[in-house]
Amino acid sequence: MFLVEIRDLVETDLDKVMEIENLCFVAPWKKEDIIRELTNNQFATLLVATINNEVVGYVDYWVTFDSATICQIAVHPNYHRQAIGSKLLQEVFKDCYAKKVLTITLEVRESNSKGINFYTKHGFNQFLVKPNYYSNGENAIYMMKGVELNG
Ligand SMILES: CC(C)(COP(=O)(O)OP(=O)(O)OC[C@H]1O[C@@H](n2cnc3c(N)ncnc32)[C@H](O)[C@@H]1OP(=O)(O)O)[C@@H](O)C(=O)NCCC(=O)NCCS
């Protein structure tokens, strides 16, 4: 067993975050995109999950008044299916609850069945399909969940 800790993402985490980003996504964000989220987006919160101080996952979400959006969440493939993504998401839920957010939304690629399973397990419902949402023409599934105590 290992201890997973969650803390704010800081600039020195960026190389490790980019490594995970490149391993996890077909169209990964560039380093500048994450720096912009970190330094120039008042609505964004970025958290990392660590094991023995090594970054193994991260999440980026926006809180705007009574709603929130999960923009990106990823766990290093060596650590998949060990509840690290769930732990990150629980932190998001806790923060949203504290900030009186009512709904959390997200888009996920139609082909990303494990991502859809992951969100479904955490109470998100498939709300609608956004056609041609991604640059390769793929549809997005728009998912939504109400915020309640204990996720
Ligand atoms: C989606 C992701 C963040 C999940 O992280 P994780 O730490 O592996 O997930 P968890 O161990 O917390 O899994 C929680 C639940 O999600 C679902 N899930 C996770 N991985 C799955 C997989 N490979 N196949 C099917 N369901 C899966 C399961 O319901 C799982 O519960 P269970 O293990 O009790 O069956 C991770 O797979 C990832 O980084 N994927 C690539 C990036 C991505 O697709 N992000 C989401 C879209 S932005």
Side-chain angles (χ1 to χ4, degrees):
M1 268 309 276
F2 42 68
L3 180 66
V4 179
E5 294 179 290
I6 309 290
R7 61 163 172 78
D8 288 335
L9 187 155
V10 293
E11 213 146 336
T12 47
D13 296 324
L14 285 175
D15 287 346
K16 193 66 197 188
V17 165
M18 282 313 301
E19 182 191 324
I20 298 170
E21 180 74 17
N22 287 319
L23 286 167
C24 283
F25 291 105
V26 283
W29 281 4
K30 296 187 180 68
K31 198 169 181 174
E32 309 86 84
D33 300 327
I34 300 180
I35 292 174
R36 194 176 49 244
E37 289 290 279
L38 196 57
T39 59
N40 203 21
N41 182 350
Q42 59 170 315
F43 302 110
T45 299
L46 295 98
L47 304 174
V48 290
T50 64
I51 296 174
N52 295 330
N53 295 321
E54 185 197 349
V55 173
V56 294
Y58 61 95
V59 62
D60 174 21
Y61 63 101
W62 297 358
V63 173
T64 44
F65 307 101
D66 61 353
S67 63
T69 304
I70 295 176
C71 303
Q72 203 79 319
I73 184 166
V75 171
H76 192 292
N78 290 348
Y79 293 92
H80 278 180
R81 218 65 193 262
Q82 297 184 65
I84 296 168
S86 296
K87 188 152 185 179
L88 282 164
L89 214 45
Q90 291 300 337
E91 283 299 314
V92 176
F93 295 162
K94 241 197 284 175
D95 187 37
C96 286
Y97 183 77
K99 290 176 175 158
K100 300 191 173 5
V101 168
L102 299 177
T103 52
I104 308 177
T105 62
L106 59 89
E107 282 90 13
V108 56
R109 284 178 188 269
E110 200 170 46
S111 62
N112 188 355
S113 55
K114 64 181 178 180
I116 294 169
N117 269 354
F118 172 70
Y119 292 128
T120 303
K121 169 150 190 187
H122 289 287
F124 285 87
N125 293 309
Q126 297 189 29
F127 198 63
L128 51 83
V129 175
K130 295 189 179 183
N132 305 312
Y133 183 81
Y134 295 99
S135 54
N136 69 347
E138 186 171 356
N139 297 341
I141 308 293
Y142 185 59
M143 299 185 80
M144 191 179 285
K145 146 185 182 75
V147 178
E148 59 213 43
L149 189 57
N150 299 322

